[in-house]
Amino acid sequence: MIGEIYADALAGESTEIEYVDGTRVALETARWFEPIDGDEELLSRCASPTLDIGSGPGRLTAALTRRGIRALGIDITPRAVALTRRAGGFALLRDVFDDVPWSGHWATALLADGNIGIAGHPEVLLRRVRQLIRPGGIVLAEVAPPETRSRVDRLRLRRGRLAGEWFGWATVSASDIRRVALAGGFADAECWTAHDRWLACLR
């Protein structure tokens, strides 16, 4: 159900993120289709090959491909994969915890748009990503501003009366990324800002 509602959101259907306390906010998928200020700060640091985890409609995967960087997007929703391919990128229907091609050989792994929060366990996610990148590879992640509290929320997607299953999603603050990176198997994490976005490079 999560995938179906998310797919409809990518198609333009009005969709909300609902938290367990009843708070609802709009899921603004339209912004993922076009370049976002600060994307260049991520794209310019990507080496070939790059794995775009949770690639959505593929704006970053396609942008890397146009630059001549070998890139693959993975997403759990068929519509997202189709949109990435339509945009000119390569994509597979795949969960990051499933078998991923070229495991152990990726130079860069992208966790843009807050995707370090996937599954609600950032340390577990980073340990998995550590298995996917090659020795000396990097992870580029988008994190929350330093004044934000790191936390794990329970939430679900809702379209009108139709609601998906509850799932965990983590928020990782820039002030905590070094601790989280270390727990995930990375020795160092560098943070910087670009157009009000907080970005991190894990090595």
Side-chain angles (χ1 to χ4, degrees), residues 34-113:
E34 300 294 336
I36 298 174
D37 288 343
D39 280 356
E40 178 60 31
E41 291 288 328
L42 290 171
L43 296 170
S44 64
R45 296 191 181 213
C46 291
S48 186
T50 290
L51 180 67
D52 186 5
I53 299 167
S55 52
R59 78 176 192 283
L60 296 175
T61 306
L64 288 168
T65 302
R66 289 192 295 270
R67 292 169 180 236
I69 300 291
R70 286 185 295 142
L72 175 70
I74 57 172
D75 202 282
I76 61 171
T77 305
R79 187 181 294 276
V81 171
L83 288 168
T84 300
R85 292 172 178 172
R86 189 182 305 168
F90 297 95
L92 290 177
L93 183 66
R94 201 65 50 96
D95 188 302
V96 66
F97 294 101
D98 292 339
D99 290 334
V100 176
W102 305 326
S103 179
H105 295 88
W106 295 99
T108 308
L110 269 178
L111 289 168
D113 303 321

Side-chain angles (χ1 to χ4, degrees), residues 20-183:
V20 290
D21 66 359
T23 301
R24 297 185 189 182
V25 296
L27 178 62
E28 299 176 353
T29 57
R31 64 190 180 92
W32 296 329
F33 283 79
E34 300 294 336
I36 298 174
D37 288 343
D39 280 356
E40 178 60 31
E41 291 288 328
L42 290 171
L43 296 170
S44 64
R45 296 191 181 213
C46 291
S48 186
T50 290
L51 180 67
D52 186 5
I53 299 167
S55 52
R59 78 176 192 283
L60 296 175
T61 306
L64 288 168
T65 302
R66 289 192 295 270
R67 292 169 180 236
I69 300 291
R70 286 185 295 142
L72 175 70
I74 57 172
D75 202 282
I76 61 171
T77 305
R79 187 181 294 276
V81 171
L83 288 168
T84 300
R85 292 172 178 172
R86 189 182 305 168
F90 297 95
L92 290 177
L93 183 66
R94 201 65 50 96
D95 188 302
V96 66
F97 294 101
D98 292 339
D99 290 334
V100 176
W102 305 326
S103 179
H105 295 88
W106 295 99
T108 308
L110 269 178
L111 289 168
D113 303 321
N115 282 341
I116 194 170
I118 287 173
H121 299 284
E123 295 90 349
V124 174
L125 174 62
L126 289 177
R127 285 196 290 269
R128 170 56 177 151
V129 175
R130 184 70 186 84
Q131 296 172 343
L132 298 175
I133 61 174
R134 68 193 184 195
I138 63 171
V139 176
L140 295 172
E142 186 166 355
V143 295
E147 64 272 15
T148 305
R149 180 178 59 88
S150 295
R151 63 187 188 277
V152 176
D153 291 304
R154 295 290 294 174
L155 49 87
R156 63 183 176 182
L157 299 184
R158 174 178 288 278
R159 190 181 71 250
R161 294 186 176 182
L162 184 64
E165 299 89 358
W166 294 102
F167 61 93
W169 192 271
T171 298
V172 178
S173 170
S175 59
D176 293 326
I177 187 59
R178 287 181 175 83
R179 173 184 58 78
V180 173
L182 186 62

